[in-house]
Amino acid sequence: MENMNVAVIGGGIIGLTSALTLADRGHRVTVFDPAPVSGASWHAGGMLAPTAEVVYKQEPLFPLMNAAAKWYPELIQLVNKYSDLPTGYRTDGTLVVARDRADNTHLEELSVYQALHGMEVNRLTTREARKREPALSPALAGAVEIIGDHQVQPRLFAKALLDACVNTGVTIVQEAVTNVDDANDLDADQVLIAAGLGAAEITGWFTGVNPLELRPVYGDILHVRVPKHQFPLLDHVVRGFVEDRPIYLIPRGDGTLTIGATTREDGRAEPQVQGVYQLLRDAIEVCPALEECDFLEADAGARPGSPDDLPYLGRVNERVTVSTGYFRHGILLAGMAARCGADLVEQKAPAISLEACDPWRHQRA
């Protein structure tokens, strides 16, 4: 493929992984974003969990998540090729636990559903779970282990990505682009729109109403520090169900621990008291020793969701490719978005079918 000038609109995880992949393939890449790595990527949990993140009746999403997880080690290697900064990549696996008998029924039913779709889930006794993670509550009613689910630390990963992009020669322009025709002034042969929620405001590639039906889905997320005498409090990512509410606890190598995350569509950009209380209460039910941790931060981020919670990923004309709407799975799906997005920019057939991700699908419907 002849080297091209590519404009990437958006400097979050999706935009930067795509830019890095394109630059590594020999293209001249410019990323446009007034504030790189400050959007949804900055507020994410960072779980690479194609099995634990399964949601009922979202089967079209499963092959995308599985492909992304399969390709993630290559993405990490690519970042490490051009940057010495840490990514927080860990492969310890995930434990999923149930607080009471009703939650255990939910966990058992979910495990059956996952197994029916070819996902590997290992049932554990609560004693086995506490042997792996002694800090877990002795009152838990059930547990499973998912070996293949991993994690990155999003803020570290974003900084390493930005550093890797700069080291490959990617130009970072801290300006907004609201019309793809503006890229003509920059001699861009191809344009990749990877601006998250901002993609809904970018024009020049459609007539009439923007076909991307994006909505902000907010989530409260907490960060605590584990005291030295307790570190490491956990080794695995621990996900749980408490009175049917999902909770997750993500241990980090720097001594911090992330707790998340609520889901709400109320348009309120600040963390909500109810959400913070709920997360702390449920996390302590799963891991009582959290009460001794230092509280660092309550945060909230807006994730770009589509009506069917599937991303928009596809070529929309001879010059423009769209890559947005990754909702709760942006960090994980970056492993797929970078590779397939670069393929589309190069006008190649993507490595997997993207039929379910057609950017025009809701306009046609």
Side-chain angles (χ1 to χ4, degrees):
M1 182 72 184
E2 182 179 349
N3 292 348
M4 301 179 294
N5 290 330
V6 182
V8 176
I9 305 175
I13 293 289
I14 301 297
L16 292 179
T17 53
S18 301
L20 180 61
T21 302
L22 286 161
D24 184 63
R25 295 185 184 186
H27 302 295
R28 297 174 294 278
V29 183
T30 304
V31 173
F32 295 88
D33 193 310
V37 301
S38 64
S41 305
W42 193 252
H43 309 289
M47 292 174 293
L48 311 176
T51 299
E53 289 279 336
V54 158
V55 175
Y56 291 109
K57 297 183 180 180
Q58 286 196 346
E59 285 82 358
L61 190 58
F62 300 168
L64 307 180
M65 297 167 71
N66 289 332
K70 176 183 175 183
W71 295 332
Y72 229 92
E74 296 178 22
L75 178 59
I76 296 296
Q77 289 173 8
L78 181 61
V79 175
N80 292 339
K81 177 180 176 181
Y82 295 106
S83 175
D84 294 327
L85 296 180
T87 61
Y89 181 58
R90 294 176 58 168
T91 60
D92 306 282
T94 297
L95 296 181
V96 188
V97 300
R99 176 62 183 88
D100 58 27
R101 292 177 63 183
D103 293 321
N104 191 42
T105 298
H106 180 168
L107 182 58
E108 290 176 343
E109 292 172 349
L110 180 60
S111 299
V112 170
Y113 182 74
Q114 291 163 328
L116 284 173
H117 288 85
M119 303 172 191
E120 186 176 351
V121 178
N122 302 321
R123 192 75 191 180
L124 299 177
T125 65
T126 53
R127 178 176 293 182
E128 289 171 329
R130 294 193 70 234
K131 186 174 182 180
R132 287 166 171 76
E133 293 292 358
L136 290 176
S137 168
L140 296 176
V144 300
E145 180 182 43
I146 303 173
I147 297 174
D149 284 358
H150 303 153
Q151 65 150 301
V152 292
Q153 191 164 346
R155 296 181 182 182
L156 292 182
F157 189 42
K159 290 178 181 178
L161 266 173
L162 191 58
D163 183 57
C165 283
V166 171
N167 291 337
T168 60
V170 172
T171 301
I172 308 294
V173 178
Q174 291 187 268
E175 297 176 3
V177 174
T178 57
N179 189 310
V180 295
D181 290 335
D182 294 344
N184 284 329
D185 299 330
L186 305 160
D187 192 31
D189 303 306
Q190 293 287 313
V191 179
L192 177 69
I193 299 175
L197 286 166
E201 308 299 325
I202 297 172
T203 62
W205 59 274
F206 59 89
T207 56
V209 178
N210 191 324
L212 307 181
E213 297 185 17
L214 295 168
R215 72 190 196 282
V217 182
Y218 291 90
D220 305 306
I221 192 167
L222 313 178
H223 303 278
V224 302
R225 180 184 293 113
V226 178
K228 289 183 179 179
H229 71 275
Q230 286 185 314
F231 183 80
L233 185 61
L234 298 170
D235 290 312
H236 300 76
V237 172
V238 173
R239 305 176 70 101
F241 296 106
V242 179
E243 297 177 0
D244 212 33
R245 293 183 299 270
I247 185 76
Y248 60 71
L249 296 79
I250 313 173
R252 311 295 194 187
D254 61 3
T256 63
L257 190 145
T258 299
I259 304 168
T262 61
T263 298
R264 50 186 175 81
E265 300 188 35
D266 54 9
R268 303 172 69 183
E270 300 298 326
Q272 301 299 299
V273 170
Q274 180 182 8
V276 172
Y277 170 71
Q278 174 187 309
L279 290 174
L280 287 175
R281 178 187 59 193
D282 291 350
I284 290 169
E285 284 288 319
V286 169
C287 181
L290 277 170
E291 291 183 322
E292 296 187 40
C293 290
D294 304 324
F295 189 88
L296 298 179
E297 179 183 346
D299 197 8
R303 297 158 289 193
S306 69
D308 54 13
D309 294 336
L310 287 164
Y312 294 112
L313 178 57
R315 175 173 283 279
V316 294
N317 62 36
E318 292 183 357
R319 186 165 173 262
V320 179
T321 298
V322 168
S323 182
T324 188
Y326 290 89
F327 190 34
R328 296 184 300 118
H329 309 293
I331 302 295
L332 167 62
L333 291 181
M336 178 275 298
R339 176 180 292 208
C340 293
D343 289 341
L344 291 167
V345 168
E346 293 181 333
Q347 302 186 53
K348 298 176 181 176
I352 59 172
S353 172
L354 299 177
E355 182 179 359
C357 306
D358 180 7
W360 301 102
R361 65 187 183 274
H362 295 120
Q363 185 184 71
R364 289 174 179 147

mmCIF file of all heavy atoms in Angstrom, residues 83-89 156-157 159-160:
data_model
loop_
_atom_site.group_PDB
_atom_site.id
_atom_site.type_symbol
_atom_site.label_atom_id
_atom_site.label_comp_id
_atom_site.label_asym_id
_atom_site.label_seq_id
_atom_site.Cartn_x
_atom_site.Cartn_y
_atom_site.Cartn_z
ATOM 1 N N SER A 83 7.611 2.992 22.946
ATOM 2 C CA SER A 83 7.587 3.736 24.208
ATOM 3 C C SER A 83 8.057 2.848 25.347
ATOM 4 O O SER A 83 7.727 1.672 25.406
ATOM 5 C CB SER A 83 6.162 4.233 24.503
ATOM 6 O OG SER A 83 6.109 4.860 25.775
ATOM 7 N N ASP A 84 8.809 3.461 26.266
ATOM 8 C CA ASP A 84 9.258 2.764 27.468
ATOM 9 C C ASP A 84 8.329 3.010 28.649
ATOM 10 O O ASP A 84 8.566 2.494 29.743
ATOM 11 C CB ASP A 84 10.670 3.225 27.851
ATOM 12 C CG ASP A 84 11.713 2.821 26.815
ATOM 13 O OD1 ASP A 84 11.538 1.748 26.195
ATOM 14 O OD2 ASP A 84 12.682 3.583 26.623
ATOM 15 N N LEU A 85 7.270 3.782 28.443
ATOM 16 C CA LEU A 85 6.358 4.087 29.541
ATOM 17 C C LEU A 85 5.486 2.869 29.866
ATOM 18 O O LEU A 85 5.142 2.093 28.982
ATOM 19 C CB LEU A 85 5.471 5.277 29.172
ATOM 20 C CG LEU A 85 6.190 6.612 28.945
ATOM 21 C CD1 LEU A 85 5.177 7.701 28.589
ATOM 22 C CD2 LEU A 85 6.989 7.014 30.178
ATOM 23 N N PRO A 86 5.099 2.706 31.133
ATOM 24 C CA PRO A 86 4.277 1.548 31.521
ATOM 25 C C PRO A 86 2.853 1.659 30.987
ATOM 26 O O PRO A 86 2.324 2.765 30.806
ATOM 27 C CB PRO A 86 4.296 1.588 33.046
ATOM 28 C CG PRO A 86 4.511 3.045 33.370
ATOM 29 C CD PRO A 86 5.417 3.572 32.291
ATOM 30 N N THR A 87 2.221 0.517 30.744
ATOM 31 C CA THR A 87 0.839 0.473 30.278
ATOM 32 C C THR A 87 -0.120 -0.083 31.333
ATOM 33 O O THR A 87 -1.330 0.012 31.175
ATOM 34 C CB THR A 87 0.718 -0.418 29.029
ATOM 35 O OG1 THR A 87 1.113 -1.749 29.368
ATOM 36 C CG2 THR A 87 1.608 0.108 27.896
ATOM 37 N N GLY A 88 0.439 -0.687 32.388
ATOM 38 C CA GLY A 88 -0.412 -1.319 33.387
ATOM 39 C C GLY A 88 -1.045 -2.609 32.898
ATOM 40 O O GLY A 88 -2.028 -3.084 33.479
ATOM 41 N N TYR A 89 -0.474 -3.206 31.850
ATOM 42 C CA TYR A 89 -1.023 -4.446 31.290
ATOM 43 C C TYR A 89 -0.755 -5.600 32.238
ATOM 44 O O TYR A 89 0.379 -5.836 32.650
ATOM 45 C CB TYR A 89 -0.396 -4.717 29.934
ATOM 46 C CG TYR A 89 -0.889 -5.964 29.234
ATOM 47 C CD1 TYR A 89 -2.232 -6.131 28.940
ATOM 48 C CD2 TYR A 89 0.003 -6.976 28.847
ATOM 49 C CE1 TYR A 89 -2.690 -7.263 28.276
ATOM 50 C CE2 TYR A 89 -0.446 -8.104 28.177
ATOM 51 C CZ TYR A 89 -1.788 -8.245 27.899
ATOM 52 O OH TYR A 89 -2.245 -9.369 27.244
ATOM 53 N N LEU A 156 -2.321 5.261 32.410
ATOM 54 C CA LEU A 156 -0.944 4.922 32.026
ATOM 55 C C LEU A 156 -0.895 4.527 30.552
ATOM 56 O O LEU A 156 0.014 4.939 29.813
ATOM 57 C CB LEU A 156 -0.417 3.776 32.892
ATOM 58 C CG LEU A 156 -0.179 4.031 34.377
ATOM 59 C CD1 LEU A 156 0.385 2.779 35.037
ATOM 60 C CD2 LEU A 156 0.751 5.200 34.581
ATOM 61 N N PHE A 157 -1.850 3.716 30.136
ATOM 62 C CA PHE A 157 -1.888 3.246 28.754
ATOM 63 C C PHE A 157 -2.024 4.416 27.795
ATOM 64 O O PHE A 157 -1.353 4.459 26.751
ATOM 65 C CB PHE A 157 -3.062 2.275 28.598
ATOM 66 C CG PHE A 157 -3.104 1.556 27.279
ATOM 67 C CD1 PHE A 157 -1.952 1.042 26.702
ATOM 68 C CD2 PHE A 157 -4.309 1.376 26.603
ATOM 69 C CE1 PHE A 157 -1.996 0.369 25.488
ATOM 70 C CE2 PHE A 157 -4.361 0.707 25.398
ATOM 71 C CZ PHE A 157 -3.198 0.207 24.827
ATOM 72 N N LYS A 159 -1.069 7.546 28.248
ATOM 73 C CA LYS A 159 0.192 8.297 28.194
ATOM 74 C C LYS A 159 1.235 7.553 27.365
ATOM 75 O O LYS A 159 1.973 8.168 26.587
ATOM 76 C CB LYS A 159 0.714 8.541 29.611
ATOM 77 C CG LYS A 159 -0.119 9.523 30.419
ATOM 78 C CD LYS A 159 0.435 9.679 31.831
ATOM 79 C CE LYS A 159 -0.408 10.651 32.644
ATOM 80 N NZ LYS A 159 0.094 10.786 34.042
ATOM 81 N N ALA A 160 1.300 6.231 27.538
ATOM 82 C CA ALA A 160 2.253 5.434 26.756
ATOM 83 C C ALA A 160 1.888 5.472 25.274
ATOM 84 O O ALA A 160 2.782 5.556 24.409
ATOM 85 C CB ALA A 160 2.271 3.994 27.262
#
